[in-house]
Amino acid sequence: ALEGDGDMVRPGDVRLISLNWLMALAERGDVLPRRQSLPEEAFLSSAQLRRIEEGARRGFDRAGLEEAFECLSKEPSLSSILGLLASFFGRKRNPDGLLPIVSISYCWLEAAHPDREGRQLQLLCRKLRGLYGGGGG
């Protein structure tokens, strides 16, 4: 679906957002804009998703490590340091062979913006930290 199937789903209809990007957004106290306004670096490409899957099969998350280094170099913080350590020393992330993809849909809180004060983003990231420890593609 990420690349389209030629009939029902066109390329770009389905986009996955990077967990690391989302967590960094929340950590900065920013708000999640509408999908159409997200920067390209917010999204995972199909190539990045393949690397995540390969890393999950091997028990080592090379893509996660690369992204953690990039996050640390752009925005040094406790969260980015912990993300780097977790990606390097973490246990096999995918013992059951499934990719950890979460689908979220929520109502806009007002007509002009989905979450102007960032409350839903903060709640979402608290829940995702509990599930994934804050690290992921």
Side-chain angles (χ1 to χ4, degrees):
L2 286 178
E3 297 169 336
D5 69 1
D7 295 325
M8 303 292 285
V9 181
R10 296 174 309 206
D13 282 353
V14 176
R15 306 283 314 262
L16 299 179
I17 297 176
S18 163
L19 178 59
N20 290 336
W21 182 89
L22 194 66
M23 295 296 206
L25 185 74
E27 188 175 283
R28 290 190 307 266
D30 288 343
V31 299
L32 186 61
R34 63 192 188 112
R35 177 188 185 260
Q36 297 88 337
S37 300
L38 290 174
E40 193 58 35
E41 65 265 14
F43 298 104
L44 291 175
S45 68
S46 55
Q48 287 171 305
L49 190 58
R50 282 189 198 94
R51 285 195 305 268
I52 290 169
E53 187 218 4
E54 289 168 8
R57 277 188 302 204
R58 288 192 315 267
F60 179 74
D61 181 19
R62 184 184 83 215
L65 183 60
E66 290 169 1
E67 190 167 333
F69 269 121
E70 183 177 325
C71 183
L72 180 62
S73 67
K74 285 182 181 176
E75 294 184 40
S77 67
L78 178 59
S79 176
S80 60
I81 292 169
L82 292 174
L84 176 65
L85 291 173
S87 66
F88 189 74
F89 293 109
R91 297 178 309 195
K92 186 170 181 180
R93 299 164 48 119
N94 191 7
D96 57 5
L98 301 174
L99 287 175
I101 296 174
V102 176
S103 175
I104 298 159
S105 178
Y106 63 91
C107 294
W108 282 33
L109 297 178
E110 57 187 82
H113 196 278
D115 187 23
R116 185 177 306 277
E117 295 177 15
R119 290 184 185 145
Q120 294 192 76
L121 176 62
Q122 293 298 323
L123 174 64
L124 171 63
C125 286
R126 275 196 307 276
K127 298 295 183 185
L128 290 172
R129 267 188 215 96
L131 288 171
Y132 299 108

